[in-house]
Structures are given as structure tokens and as C-alpha cells.
Amino acid sequence: MKHSYLLASLALLALPAVAQNPALNARIAQLAQAEETKVIAWRRDFHQHPELGNEEKRTAGIVAAHLKKLGLEVQTGIGRTGVVGILKGGKPGPVVALRADMDALPVTEATGLAFASTVKTTYLGQPVGVMHACGHDSHVAMLMGAAEVLSQVKKELSGTVKFIFQPAEEGSLPGVVGGAKLMIQEGVLDNPKVDAIFGLHINAQTEAGSLSYRPGGEMASADRFTIKVIGKGAHGARPWNSVDPVVTAAQIIMGLQTIVSRQVNLTDDAAVVTVGTLKAGVRYNVIPDQVELTGTIRAFDKKTQEQIWAAVRRTAKGIAESAGATVEVGFEAYVPVTYNDPPLAARMLPTLQAVAGGATNVREVKVNTWAEDFALYQEKVPGLFVFVGGMRKGVDPATTADHHTPGFTLDESGFTLGVKTLATLAADYLAAPK
Ligand code: NI
């Protein structure tokens, strides 16, 4: 009683009105609850049969069969293994898209779960396991659940829902275009043209039953950089005959540390420059001709991103020059900032608060230096990306295994809120798009 009074006052006083349809929303909540067993079973099946990016054939097959069974118009093979389902509502209206990513990671699972993955592969020449170590298995299952829920209330929907099951969110092999980028290139946001897009990510460090989000910049842009230091090799015993690229690369790595700490205005937003690989030499007493290092840059606005690119280039060049070496510096922009359209986020906040059972279960969070290729859709249409709690209540997040690690686990009791969130965001947006 108190909750609904509070929510109603918030909606009236502080927030743009969303023409929520209480009867429809209650029905969606009920249907989402009824999906729980199925969603958990789907998730466990995907978890046990993980597939790397661009190889999600089994997953896509299950998704496509499910959507067809629900009577949706289904397209397959978009962006290689992507699946799109189109649900036409009973009344005319806009088009809203809901997106889930389907790919697993080259990580060897060590959870000890009954449905743990034992799948093995070779990734970039190295033998490794395959694991849903980021929770994308749950995203697929939750969106399948939301599709089933919305298809049961389609007569009451004012517009169209497009379900996007996307491959390769974690990135494709070097030089290969995939994920959201390829799906967009192949027209996933057209025919019918999408007006707004919603997506979610399970979070193993926030409590099941909670939602979190941030209006504006939510997750970082991610760029890859490569610096090739070209010197002159020599016998390790006679370094004076070399232009030593190992020492020069070491100086460059240290120089890069001053970009964020000394040159970026940290009172604006966070930024990161990390060197992740360093390839140098083949033998302990031979100075090689060249060294290659690669790393990642994270930023929260275009200006900082460009500033860091320029600083990386300048630092690498200047240090190499002082050593008599040369450098080749390359950048690959992977994804832009995950940017939640502020008016859309404000408009949908009452929906998030309603599905989560009150404003206290919806937190506005700090920026997150992860990146997400959902950002590419948001460059084209207004979008909102929400985190759904996937950690058991009362657990200290510091004691849980992080995403992308072998011990990553989820509290499956959080999935129903994910289903409800996706389905209700779509229904509410269609009811009041502007
Ligand atoms: Ni992920």
C-alpha cells in the first residue's frame, strides 16, 4: 500500500508520465513468474552447451524454433548466427527492440555445477574450455521467456516488438566483423524500423531482485591499440650495437601510465589505459629487432577518447625517437560509450521501479569501465541498458567470482525480474512512446 502510494506520487510529481496499463502489467508479471522454471531450464541447457562468438549455431537453432512455435515471424542467419523474431501487436504503434547476446567465452569452467560446461576448443592456437562466464546464457533464456510472455498478450500491444538474439558480443577474432556491428550492417534495425531498443545484463555482483542503470554514459568506449617498436637487433652481450626495442617498449609502457594519471581530467570522468600483451624476442641473449605491445583504452566521452589516442601516439613516438627507434601505432575502435538516452531513461524509470517492486530496488550506479556492443545500437536509436541482479541476497560482492572468470556463477532466482523487465519495458514503451 505504502509502496504504490509512493510510486504514484513519484510518477506524478517528479517523472514524465508513462501510460502504464496496470491490468496489462499485472498480467505480464504473472506470466513472467509462470516462465521461471522454463527460463532456468533453458539457461542450464545453454550453460552446458556454450558456443563461442559467431559459432552460436545450436543456441540460435533453439531460439529460432522457440520463436516459430510462438507464432513470430523469424529471420535467421543475420550477422552469421543471429536470430530475429517479430511480434506484431493487436493495435498499431511504434517498433521496440529487445536484445540478448548469445556468445560464450574461451574460459575453462571451474564452478563444479551439475550443469557445468565440459566443452573444449582451441582459441587463437591455445587449448581452452568454453564457458558462459558472462551470463549471456541467462540473457538468451530471459529474452525467450519475455517473447513467450509478450506473445500471450499480443492483442493488447500497441505496436511491434522485435526480438534480437545477437552473436559475438564479446568480439570476433581479429580482423573479423561481427556482433551488433554486423547485425546493424545487415539491417536489423530496419524493416520494420526500430524506434527504441532495450537490453539488459545480468550482474553477478548485485543482489537478485534489484535493477541498476545510469542515464547518459553507463559503460565505457573500448578501443584496442597496437604499438610496434622497431629497433635494431644485436648479440645480447653487445647491446651498444643495437637499438634495443625491449628497453624502449618498457619505457613506452611506463610513459603510457602518465596519460590517465597526469593528462586526463579525472574530475570529468574515469579513463583507463592498459597494456595487455607484450611480445618480444625468442632467446635470452639475443636483442630482437622489434617488439609489439597491445592494450585497451576505456573512456566515457568522445573528447577524452580522442585525447587519449593522441597521447598514446605522441608518447610512443617521442620515447622511440629518443632511443633512435621507430614506432607504428594503430588503433581499432571496438565499441563506443554505452549511452542511455536521458529522456528515454527518465521516461522508463517508473517502469523499472514498478517491475522491481519499488524505487529502493532500482539503483542509479556509477560508470562502469566494462564495454558493451549494445552501444552500437544506441548510436542509431535511443536505447536503455539495464543491469539485473544475479547474486544471492546477503552475499558480500567481494567474495563472488567476477564475470569472465572460471568460478562465475549466478543466482537463478534473479531471472524472473529480467523477464518481467524486458516484457514490461516493451509494453510500456509501446503504450506511450513519446
Ligand atoms: Ni557480457
Side-chain angles (χ1 to χ4, degrees), residues 101 134-136 139 169-170 201 371-372 403-404:
D101 41 10
C134 197
H136 299 186
H139 302 168
E169 190 284 322
E170 302 284 358
H201 206 298
E372 166 61 60
H403 290 248
H404 292 210

Side-chain angles (χ1 to χ4, degrees), residues 87-133:
L87 177 70
K88 292 201 171 105
K91 300 171 231 171
V95 179
V96 66
L98 300 174
R99 175 275 209 171
D101 41 10
M102 304 193 288
D103 52 327
L105 285 159
V107 170
T108 307
E109 178 153 0
T111 58
L113 291 169
F115 53 92
S117 160
T118 54
V119 177
K120 305 240 176 305
T121 191
T122 303
Y123 185 76
L124 297 177
Q126 286 189 47
V128 67
V130 182
M131 177 188 177
H132 268 294

Side-chain angles (χ1 to χ4, degrees), residues 159-235:
T160 300
V161 187
K162 202 180 238 191
F163 298 90
I164 300 175
F165 291 86
Q166 181 208 299
E169 190 284 322
E170 302 284 358
S172 300
L173 293 172
V176 175
V177 177
K181 191 171 186 180
L182 190 58
M183 285 196 97
I184 293 167
Q185 277 177 16
E186 295 186 6
V188 77
L189 296 175
D190 311 312
N191 299 324
K193 199 183 160 319
V194 171
D195 296 296
I197 186 163
F198 299 110
L200 57 75
H201 206 298
I202 196 87
N203 187 334
Q205 271 87 39
T206 56
E207 287 187 344
S210 69
L211 298 176
S212 47
Y213 80 111
R214 180 180 164 83
E218 181 175 60
M219 278 188 276
S221 59
D223 310 314
R224 176 192 147 99
F225 66 88
T226 305
I227 301 174
K228 199 187 273 182
V229 184
I230 303 148
K232 183 169 166 270
H235 194 301

Side-chain angles (χ1 to χ4, degrees), residues 73-424:
E73 186 186 317
V74 179
Q75 301 162 352
T76 57
I78 308 199
R80 290 192 193 87
T81 58
V83 181
V84 173
I86 294 170
L87 177 70
K88 292 201 171 105
K91 300 171 231 171
V95 179
V96 66
L98 300 174
R99 175 275 209 171
D101 41 10
M102 304 193 288
D103 52 327
L105 285 159
V107 170
T108 307
E109 178 153 0
T111 58
L113 291 169
F115 53 92
S117 160
T118 54
V119 177
K120 305 240 176 305
T121 191
T122 303
Y123 185 76
L124 297 177
Q126 286 189 47
V128 67
V130 182
M131 177 188 177
H132 268 294
C134 197
H136 299 186
D137 47 350
S138 73
H139 302 168
V140 180
M142 288 186 276
L143 191 55
M144 284 169 69
E148 190 155 323
V149 168
L150 288 172
S151 66
Q152 292 173 80
V153 297
K154 69 176 172 190
K155 280 194 195 122
E156 292 162 72
L157 297 176
S158 317
T160 300
V161 187
K162 202 180 238 191
F163 298 90
I164 300 175
F165 291 86
Q166 181 208 299
E169 190 284 322
E170 302 284 358
S172 300
L173 293 172
V176 175
V177 177
K181 191 171 186 180
L182 190 58
M183 285 196 97
I184 293 167
Q185 277 177 16
E186 295 186 6
V188 77
L189 296 175
D190 311 312
N191 299 324
K193 199 183 160 319
V194 171
D195 296 296
I197 186 163
F198 299 110
L200 57 75
H201 206 298
I202 196 87
N203 187 334
Q205 271 87 39
T206 56
E207 287 187 344
S210 69
L211 298 176
S212 47
Y213 80 111
R214 180 180 164 83
E218 181 175 60
M219 278 188 276
S221 59
D223 310 314
R224 176 192 147 99
F225 66 88
T226 305
I227 301 174
K228 199 187 273 182
V229 184
I230 303 148
K232 183 169 166 270
H235 194 301
R238 295 153 70 91
W240 52 86
N241 287 333
S242 77
V243 174
D244 189 342
V246 176
V247 173
T248 308
Q251 288 175 319
I252 290 173
I253 292 169
M254 294 316 292
L256 296 178
Q257 306 313 306
T258 65
I259 295 172
V260 172
S261 68
R262 307 287 87 182
Q263 299 173 56
V264 171
N265 184 345
L266 291 172
T267 63
D268 286 344
D269 257 324
V272 175
V273 176
T274 289
V275 174
T277 70
L278 177 63
K279 287 190 186 126
V282 288
R283 193 180 149 85
Y284 75 99
N285 64 354
V286 178
I287 296 171
D289 282 323
Q290 62 179 52
V291 168
E292 189 178 281
L293 55 96
T294 63
T296 187
I297 296 167
R298 305 288 161 120
F300 289 92
D301 69 69
K302 194 92 194 132
K303 215 179 97 227
T304 309
Q305 186 186 16
E306 283 165 4
Q307 186 198 350
I308 294 175
W309 280 36
V312 166
R313 184 174 276 122
R314 188 175 62 237
T315 304
K317 277 199 167 154
I319 292 173
E321 204 172 301
S322 74
T326 55
V327 283
E328 287 168 14
V329 184
F331 297 94
E332 195 185 331
Y334 168 49
V335 285
V337 176
T338 303
Y339 188 81
N340 288 330
D341 182 66
L344 181 67
R347 200 155 72 233
M348 303 322 293
L349 181 58
T351 299
L352 298 181
Q353 292 173 337
V355 292
T360 50
N361 293 331
V362 182
R363 275 192 314 131
E364 191 177 316
V365 287
K366 289 189 218 167
V367 291
N368 186 321
T369 51
W370 290 337
E372 166 61 60
D373 81 352
F374 187 79
L376 293 163
Y377 302 109
Q378 291 173 310
E379 276 195 327
K380 307 280 179 193
V381 295
L384 176 62
F385 193 76
V386 178
F387 294 99
V388 176
M391 181 184 76
R392 207 151 37 83
K393 282 199 177 96
V395 170
D396 175 1
T399 64
T400 63
D402 203 354
H403 290 248
H404 292 210
T405 65
F408 174 81
T409 56
L410 289 172
D411 179 0
E412 294 170 323
S413 74
F415 297 171
T416 297
L417 177 56
V419 175
K420 237 200 294 183
T421 302
L422 288 165
T424 316

